[in-house]
Amino acid sequence: MGHVEIPESDITGPVGLAGAPRPRSTGSRNRMVAPERVWRAPTTVQRDHAERPRARKLPDPRVPFLVLTDLLGTLLPAWLVLRAGDQPVPLASAASAALVWTGVRAARGRYAQRLPGEPAGTVYAAFGDWLALVGALALLVAVTGGGLDPATAVAALVPGLVVAVLLAVADRWRSAGTRRDLRRVLVVGEAAGLDRAVSLLNSRTEHPYRAVAVVPVGPAVPGCGTPVPGRLAPEPADDDVSTVLGGAFAHDADLVLVAPGPQLDDDRLRRLAWGMHDSGLALCVLSDLSGISAARVRPASAAGLTLLHVAPPLRRGPQAALKTVVDRAGAALGLLALAPLFFGVALAVRFSSPGPVFHRQTRHGRHNRPFTMWKFRTMVADAESRREQLSAANESEGPMFKMRRDPRVTRIGHALRRTSVDELPQLLNVLRGDMSLVGPRPPLPEEVSRYDERELRRLAVRPGLTGLWQVSGRSDLSWQETVSLDLWYVDNWSVAGDMGLLARTVRAVTDGRGAY
């Protein structure tokens, strides 16, 4: 490994790419680079172009299938409806509608390759595309003077919407069930930012990014335990790009993630971006906007600045109204469909141990309002009075009480908890409006009394029968992990996201991990 003494710096040690030729000396160090200096791609790290990690710029291989599906899904039904309605030139009108439909979808990016981690297509996006189609065709008919009946024309376009909705649902299921395009990531930044980014990326599996190496900036040593193929000096230098490229090539990384900091200013980051893109490597910049979904962020430019507009969380409007309708309708249907199961569980609870069938408990809901939550009883009848005796055995570091082998749980209670059947009576709370099908875990009054300002934000929405905590480990989660998941949901929920969480809940309940 090369050894370079850097003037006016606290670093005396290996700087640059481990084992790579040194492109600079102490005299050639570039502290202040004039803006007019011509950019030259680095030549220090040579690698055959065929061996370089691909930049993943290939078109989505599903594009022909998607385009053909949209064309035929609109053309054939529209032609049949227009023909049955005795409309003029049905085939030409249907063909025009199909072409405009695919044009609208293409213009709105429905055929573009989705980046890893980017949300899949949504039902709302399909509705938006369809409304744009109706508007475009209405304008076209007005300009050409076509004699189509408006009601028949709109009916002819409905099958195309149905096909788009089915494609969106299939895409979301496919994205939820598979991890496509696993990215090998080289993280560049100061030690504190590196440790946080690597820890979060490698501790979870629901995303397609894996940190395989780090290139720290400055003398601090990262504590993440990830390989360190090179190191950047505290100030800009001629070999910044070659050091990062060499580390990426050495670990077959196909994405460079930069965590900006005081030692990675705009000019240095810009030159890194030039080098990465000229060498065919993708570059990503870590944002400080943690806890905000990508759907709420919209980039814009002004006066040479890149601005990120952050939309407020959903609290009212069409999605909030739709969520209420889905909650009430889903709870009513669930109670009707599960009535036989309720009867069987009630008998099992009643005859397995003395005490009532249901356990009623005061919980706090939206805006910190208390309500009575219903569950099937899974503990002995005097469980609440015995809790104080077990306080020393609490396994949670937060205000919650958790105990893996709680002696108060009955034999039938263990089975009910593992399958989450004990939670089903909360459908009554959902029907009454105290709870939602999806939301944060409903807390106890003594838990809320110990909340700080951050934790109180969990009560900005209705608590849920299931939620991110349910599909991410349940009782195996730490208190801080539970709070982080709940806060993310509070700020980023959507009806489409709720549908995905309900689907994932089925798998989590079947798995049974974290339920005790």
Side-chain angles (χ1 to χ4, degrees):
M1 178 180 287
H3 182 86
V4 177
E5 298 287 299
I6 303 178
E8 302 175 18
S9 172
D10 294 333
I11 296 182
T12 56
V15 179
L17 176 65
R22 299 293 305 177
R24 69 177 174 95
S25 64
T26 56
S28 65
R29 185 169 179 202
N30 182 13
R31 293 182 181 273
M32 297 295 291
V33 181
E36 64 272 12
R37 178 175 176 176
V38 179
W39 165 252
R40 293 182 299 168
T43 58
T44 303
V45 180
Q46 299 292 340
R47 183 180 174 115
D48 185 81
H49 181 73
E51 297 177 356
R52 289 177 179 171
R54 293 190 304 172
R56 307 279 179 122
K57 295 180 180 179
L58 297 176
D60 194 328
R62 300 177 302 146
V63 167
F65 168 76
L66 295 175
V67 173
L68 185 62
T69 302
D70 280 338
L71 276 172
L72 296 181
T74 302
L75 174 62
L76 295 179
W79 173 62
L80 292 174
V81 173
L82 293 175
R83 184 181 178 186
D86 293 328
Q87 299 299 305
V89 289
L91 182 57
S93 300
S96 300
L99 291 174
V100 173
W101 175 235
T102 53
V104 168
R105 300 273 284 170
R108 295 168 71 92
R110 308 310 178 205
Y111 305 136
Q113 185 178 18
R114 193 169 68 248
L115 293 174
E118 187 176 348
T122 65
V123 174
Y124 299 101
F127 272 104
D129 295 346
W130 188 77
L131 291 176
L133 169 68
V134 173
L137 291 179
L139 180 62
L140 182 62
V141 170
V143 171
T144 59
L148 292 176
D149 175 58
T152 305
V154 172
L157 299 176
V158 170
L161 171 62
V162 173
V163 171
V165 168
L166 293 176
L167 286 175
V169 172
D171 193 26
R172 291 195 69 86
W173 275 86
R174 180 173 178 265
S175 298
T178 61
R179 293 183 311 185
R180 302 186 300 138
D181 300 329
L182 185 66
R183 307 299 294 266
R184 295 176 60 84
V185 180
L186 174 75
V187 187
V188 181
E190 297 172 33
L194 291 182
D195 290 340
R196 177 175 178 272
V198 173
S199 174
L200 292 175
L201 288 177
N202 290 353
S203 64
R204 300 179 183 177
T205 60
E206 74 277 7
H207 61 84
Y209 299 97
R210 291 294 172 271
V212 296
V214 297
V215 174
V217 181
V221 178
C224 55
T226 308
V228 183
R231 181 184 295 272
L232 299 184
E235 297 183 13
D238 290 340
D239 67 344
D240 283 353
V241 172
S242 61
T243 299
V244 175
L245 281 178
F249 292 154
H251 290 272
D252 291 327
D254 58 359
L255 176 68
V256 174
L257 174 63
V258 179
Q263 297 174 357
L264 272 175
D265 57 14
D266 291 347
D267 183 69
R268 197 175 192 184
L269 179 57
R270 185 184 305 113
R271 293 180 179 277
L272 280 176
W274 290 344
M276 298 306 103
H277 294 155
D278 288 346
S279 302
L281 270 175
L283 178 73
C284 185
V285 179
L286 183 65
S287 169
D288 289 333
L289 294 175
S290 59
I292 299 176
S293 68
R296 292 176 54 207
V297 180
R298 179 173 58 86
S301 297
L305 302 174
T306 300
L307 311 178
L308 297 178
H309 289 268
V310 181
L314 292 172
R315 293 292 182 266
R316 56 183 64 87
Q319 286 226 48
L322 181 58
K323 180 180 175 70
T324 300
V325 171
V326 171
D327 284 341
R328 301 290 178 88
L333 291 175
L335 289 170
L336 290 175
L338 297 173
L341 175 63
F342 275 47
F343 181 73
V345 173
L347 290 178
V349 172
R350 182 66 183 85
F351 292 108
S352 62
S353 63
V357 170
F358 295 103
H359 175 64
R360 292 179 294 176
Q361 196 173 45
T362 299
R363 298 289 181 113
H364 280 235
R366 188 182 183 186
H367 304 318
N368 206 11
R369 284 196 289 264
F371 68 96
T372 301
M373 190 185 76
W374 291 70
K375 296 176 63 175
F376 282 119
R377 182 173 59 85
T378 59
M379 293 185 174
V380 294
D382 60 343
E384 292 293 336
S385 61
R386 293 168 57 181
R387 176 175 169 177
E388 195 66 32
Q389 305 171 11
L390 301 172
S391 58
N394 185 15
E395 298 176 10
S396 172
E397 78 280 11
M400 286 193 303
F401 181 87
K402 291 193 303 185
M403 190 173 177
R404 189 174 297 273
R405 292 180 175 84
D406 195 324
R408 301 173 298 168
V409 180
T410 64
R411 182 177 301 178
I412 189 66
H414 281 292
L416 295 179
R417 289 187 170 206
R418 181 172 179 80
T419 57
S420 295
V421 171
D422 63 315
E423 310 281 355
L424 291 180
Q426 292 167 33
L427 290 171
L428 291 169
N429 294 114
V430 177
L431 191 62
R432 293 181 53 186
D434 298 325
M435 294 178 61
S436 173
L437 291 178
V438 182
R441 190 191 69 87
L444 291 163
E446 56 265 31
E447 295 174 6
V448 176
S449 65
R450 298 167 58 187
Y451 278 5
D452 57 23
E453 182 181 3
R454 172 175 174 265
E455 292 161 347
L456 279 173
R457 189 168 175 81
R458 300 172 72 230
L459 304 177
V461 299
R462 291 188 181 92
L465 182 63
T466 185
L468 279 171
W469 52 275
Q470 176 84 354
V471 302
S472 303
R474 292 192 266 186
S475 295
D476 283 341
L477 297 173
S478 68
W479 169 246
Q480 289 303 322
E481 288 173 331
T482 301
V483 172
S484 296
L485 289 172
D486 284 345
L487 291 180
W488 196 96
Y489 178 85
V490 166
D491 287 340
N492 302 290
W493 75 269
S494 67
V495 175
D498 284 358
M499 297 300 103
L501 284 173
L502 288 172
R504 291 171 60 190
T505 298
V506 176
R507 183 172 59 184
V509 169
T510 304
D511 184 84
R513 284 182 295 182
Y516 52 86

